[in-house]
Amino acid sequence: MGTGTKCIGHAKMRKTGDILNDSHAEVIAKRSFQRYLIHQLRLAASYQQGSIFSPGTESGTWKLRPHITFIFFCSHTPCGDASIIPMTKPENQPCELVGGKDPTGHSAECQGSCDPVGPEHKRKTEETASDHVIKKLRTAVGDSTCEVTEGVAAQHVLDSRQNLQDTEFVTDDQKECSVGTKETGLTRTKVMDVYRTGAKCVLGEGADAQRPGAEYHCVGLLRVKPGRGDRTCSMSCSDKLARWNVLGCQGALLMHFLQHPVYLSAIVVGKCPYSQEVLRRAVIERCQHISFLPDGFHVQEVKMLQSNLQFKHSRHAIQAALANSKAKLFPCGAAISWSAVPEQPLDVTSNGFKQGTTKKGIGSHQARSRICKVELFHAFQRLMASISQKNLPASLREKKLETYWEYKEASANYQEAWNMLRSQALKAWVKNTKDYLQFT
C-alpha cells in the first residue's frame, strides 16, 4: 500500500540511492510491492510454506502459483496522460464523474513550437487535485542530471475528427452540452473542456497546444511530474503504469529470479473523474504496437474498472465535508508505505527520507526509507546470500557483480525488453545517468 503526492526535483537527487525521488502513491505502492515479492522469494527459496511462488522450469527461477493475480487499486486517476479526461459539462474543475463511454479527448495536432510549461494559474495540477491519494496492491491469495534521448521527433496525435464520430469539441464559451437532430433524435456529446494535468511534456516529445478548452493538452505524450521550481526527472504515473504493463512490476533485479514478469490483472480506480477510454489509451494503447519482445514479456491486456466508492480523505470528499468552511486545503507532505512483510512493514517518509530526519541526519542509515533504491538492493543481496551458489539463477551464478547498476544490467531479458519498449514506444523516456546507479 502507498500514499503520497510529492516528488523531489533533480537538484535533490543523490548518487547514493538513499532518497525516494518519486513519492506519488502509485510508485510508493509499487516499491512496497517489490519489498513483498522479495520476502515471498525468500520463503520460496527456503522451501517454507505459504509462498506465492513455485519452482520454475529453469534452475534457480520461480513462477507465480496458479490462480494468483494482483489488482492495483488507485483512489484517483494517475497523473499524466490518464488524467487528460474530457469534460462534458461546462463546470470548473473538478466536476462530476465522467462516464466510461466518454470520448477519448484527442486534441488537435501538437505544435512543436509551443512552450511546454504553461502559466500555473491555467492549470490544476495533480499535486493539489488529488490531495493525499491512496493506492493498494493486493494479492488474491493469503491474505542530478537527466538523460533524454536526443533527436526524437515530436509525436503527433490523431486529429480530433478521427475516431470521434459521436463527439463534437466546442470552445469553453459555448454553454450547450449536447445537440439533437430532428431526423434521428440522437444526441451527440459535446466536450466542453478537458481535465488538466500538471505533468509537463518531456523534451523532444512535442508540447501542449495550450489552446482554450478541449485543445489545451496534446494526448499520448510522455510527461514528467510537476515540481515547485526545480524540474523533476520522474516520469508521470501514467507513463510508469504503461511501462509496468509491458515489463512487469517486479523490476530488473527480481527478474533474475523470475521465469515470467509479474503483471497486474486489473486496475481499479476510485470514484473520481474517470474515462476508461483515456486510461486504456495511456496504459495499453501507447505500447500496443511493439514487437520482438523476449519470451515471457508482452503488452498486458489489463482489465480497467471504476469503483463507486470514494476515498474519504480525498480532496473532493474533504471539500464536500468543509463546504461551509473557509479553511484552505493543502496536500499531505508525508508518504506512507506498508508491505505484507514480518519486519517493519510500515514506512513513513517526507521529502524522500524517513519522517523526522534532520539535515544533519541525511546520509545516515536511520534516514533511509525501507523502499529506497539502496535498501531494496540490500534486501535483494540478502536474498542472494540466503541461496547457495548452485541454486542461484544462471544470470547470477559465479558472476562478479558489485554495483546496483551492474546487477540491473545483468538482467538480460529485462534489459532487452526495456530496450525494445523504449525504441518503439517510449522513445523520449527520461533516464537517470549511470552515475546515479553506481552505489553498492
Side-chain angles (χ1 to χ4, degrees), residues 166-374:
D166 297 326
T167 302
E168 180 179 343
F169 288 108
V170 297
T171 58
D172 50 4
D173 60 348
Q174 293 177 270
K175 300 303 181 185
E176 290 185 82
C177 291
S178 62
V179 60
T181 62
K182 291 181 180 179
E183 294 81 0
T184 65
L186 297 176
T187 299
R188 292 186 298 167
T189 303
K190 284 189 175 183
V191 177
M192 310 306 296
D193 203 341
V194 291
Y195 283 86
R196 309 291 167 84
T197 177
K200 300 172 177 65
C201 296
V202 171
L203 299 176
E205 184 74 346
D208 287 320
Q210 296 184 11
R211 300 190 186 100
E215 295 185 351
Y216 185 87
H217 283 304
C218 286
V219 299
L221 303 183
L222 293 175
R223 297 172 181 270
V224 291
K225 291 184 169 115
R228 293 190 177 277
D230 188 19
R231 192 179 180 97
T232 78
C233 292
S234 297
M235 302 301 295
S236 74
C237 290
S238 295
D239 299 333
K240 290 189 175 184
L241 278 165
R243 175 180 174 171
W244 304 341
N245 200 51
V246 178
L247 303 183
C249 293
Q250 76 293 321
L253 293 183
L254 293 187
M255 200 62 221
H256 283 288
F257 286 99
L258 297 174
Q259 186 170 325
H260 303 295
V262 177
Y263 290 111
L264 299 173
S265 64
I267 297 173
V268 181
V269 179
K271 187 176 181 180
C272 66
Y274 174 81
S275 166
Q276 184 155 315
E277 287 83 357
V278 171
L279 185 60
R280 179 177 174 82
R281 176 196 72 211
V283 176
I284 299 176
E285 292 178 359
R286 291 191 291 172
C287 304
Q288 211 162 28
H289 64 281
I290 65 172
S291 55
F292 303 112
L293 289 169
D295 289 345
F297 290 89
H298 61 271
V299 180
Q300 173 80 339
E301 274 294 327
V302 60
K303 294 179 182 178
M304 296 176 177
L305 304 164
Q306 185 179 30
S307 168
N308 62 0
L309 298 177
Q310 185 179 51
F311 179 47
K312 67 179 183 179
H313 299 296
S314 70
R315 181 173 186 261
H316 304 330
I318 299 299
Q319 277 185 329
L322 300 176
N324 298 322
S325 171
K326 294 183 179 180
K328 289 186 177 181
L329 296 179
F330 297 95
C332 179
I336 302 171
S337 159
W338 182 87
S339 299
V341 297
E343 296 181 6
Q344 294 183 284
L346 185 65
D347 190 75
V348 184
T349 57
S350 181
N351 297 315
F353 296 109
K354 275 199 173 179
Q355 193 172 45
T357 299
T358 62
K359 286 186 178 181
K360 188 176 180 180
I362 292 175
S364 67
H365 185 272
Q366 291 76 17
R368 295 177 185 170
S369 164
R370 291 276 174 173
I371 57 172
C372 68
K373 284 188 178 72
V374 70

Side-chain angles (χ1 to χ4, degrees), residues 90-108:
E91 301 179 15
N92 293 329
Q93 299 181 41
C95 73
E96 293 180 7
L97 204 71
V98 179
K101 292 187 178 180
D102 284 309
T104 57
H106 286 149
S107 66

Side-chain angles (χ1 to χ4, degrees), residues 7 11 21-22 26 28 45 91 110 116 147 201 206 208 211 235 253 258 304 366 369 374 380 401 422 435 440:
C7 194
N21 297 331
D22 187 344
E26 294 91 336
I28 296 293
E91 301 179 15
C110 297
E147 179 182 320
C201 296
D208 287 320
R211 300 190 186 100
M235 302 301 295
L253 293 183
L258 297 174
M304 296 176 177
Q366 291 76 17
S369 164
V374 70
F380 168 81
L401 305 172
R422 281 193 77 193
D435 54 331
T440 57

Side-chain angles (χ1 to χ4, degrees), residues 27-254:
V27 178
I28 296 293
K30 185 253 195 179
R31 299 184 75 81
S32 305
F33 180 58
Q34 289 176 327
R35 193 178 172 207
Y36 164 78
L37 291 178
I38 293 173
H39 171 66
Q40 290 295 319
L41 283 168
R42 289 197 72 169
L43 291 179
S46 58
Y47 299 99
Q48 296 183 44
Q49 292 185 344
S51 174
I52 63 173
F53 294 109
S54 61
T57 55
E58 297 178 13
S59 176
T61 64
W62 303 87
K63 61 184 179 181
L64 285 174
R65 293 188 182 277
H67 312 302
I68 291 180
T69 58
F70 296 101
I71 298 169
F72 187 90
F73 173 77
C74 176
S75 68
H76 197 277
T77 47
C79 67
D81 199 54
S83 286
I84 305 174
I85 299 170
M87 285 185 185
T88 55
K89 292 191 177 182
E91 301 179 15
N92 293 329
Q93 299 181 41
C95 73
E96 293 180 7
L97 204 71
V98 179
K101 292 187 178 180
D102 284 309
T104 57
H106 286 149
S107 66
E109 193 170 294
C110 297
Q111 302 297 316
S113 61
C114 292
D115 179 7
V117 183
E120 287 301 318
H121 69 275
K122 290 185 179 179
R123 179 186 298 114
K124 297 285 185 181
T125 69
E126 278 82 10
E127 187 175 21
T128 56
S130 62
D131 297 345
H132 199 71
V133 291
I134 182 170
K135 326 283 170 166
K136 294 180 182 177
L137 275 163
R138 299 186 308 191
T139 175
V141 299
D143 290 291
S144 172
T145 300
C146 297
E147 179 182 320
V148 182
T149 304
E150 296 182 355
V152 179
Q155 178 182 343
H156 295 282
V157 299
L158 293 175
D159 186 89
S160 60
R161 292 166 294 182
Q162 297 176 340
N163 300 323
L164 293 174
Q165 295 91 342
D166 297 326
T167 302
E168 180 179 343
F169 288 108
V170 297
T171 58
D172 50 4
D173 60 348
Q174 293 177 270
K175 300 303 181 185
E176 290 185 82
C177 291
S178 62
V179 60
T181 62
K182 291 181 180 179
E183 294 81 0
T184 65
L186 297 176
T187 299
R188 292 186 298 167
T189 303
K190 284 189 175 183
V191 177
M192 310 306 296
D193 203 341
V194 291
Y195 283 86
R196 309 291 167 84
T197 177
K200 300 172 177 65
C201 296
V202 171
L203 299 176
E205 184 74 346
D208 287 320
Q210 296 184 11
R211 300 190 186 100
E215 295 185 351
Y216 185 87
H217 283 304
C218 286
V219 299
L221 303 183
L222 293 175
R223 297 172 181 270
V224 291
K225 291 184 169 115
R228 293 190 177 277
D230 188 19
R231 192 179 180 97
T232 78
C233 292
S234 297
M235 302 301 295
S236 74
C237 290
S238 295
D239 299 333
K240 290 189 175 184
L241 278 165
R243 175 180 174 171
W244 304 341
N245 200 51
V246 178
L247 303 183
C249 293
Q250 76 293 321
L253 293 183
L254 293 187

